[in-house]
Amino acid sequence: MRIKVDLDLCQGHGVCVSEAPELFELDEETNLVRVLVEEPAEAHREALRLAAKYCPTFAIQIED
């Protein structure tokens, strides 16, 4: 599984960081999300799914 983020859609709401802080952080300079682990372990699937689901701009995609 791989995380893809469309930075053109990201508005820095930080919902993904709330749902999966082990996978995402907000860049202080750009106020956009930064992926910490591009290919997370299966154990992170649910947190990643919630981060993508609740992203207000739907900027997060999960590739299997």
Side-chain angles (χ1 to χ4, degrees):
M1 140 178 79
R2 169 171 247 148
I3 301 171
K4 295 205 66 166
V5 175
D6 185 335
L7 294 178
D8 290 331
L9 292 177
C10 180
Q11 294 180 359
H13 293 281
V15 175
C16 56
V17 178
S18 299
E19 293 293 339
E22 64 279 4
L23 302 177
F24 301 99
E25 71 179 6
L26 284 180
D27 184 295
E28 292 182 16
E29 291 181 23
T30 64
N31 201 35
L32 298 176
V33 69
R34 182 178 2 204
V35 177
L36 299 175
V37 182
E38 284 189 31
E39 295 184 23
E42 188 64 30
H44 296 291
R45 182 176 290 276
E46 183 62 14
L48 177 55
R49 186 187 72 76
L50 293 174
K53 177 180 179 179
Y54 293 119
C55 175
T57 62
F58 303 104
I60 300 169
Q61 300 296 316
I62 304 167
E63 293 182 347
D64 282 317

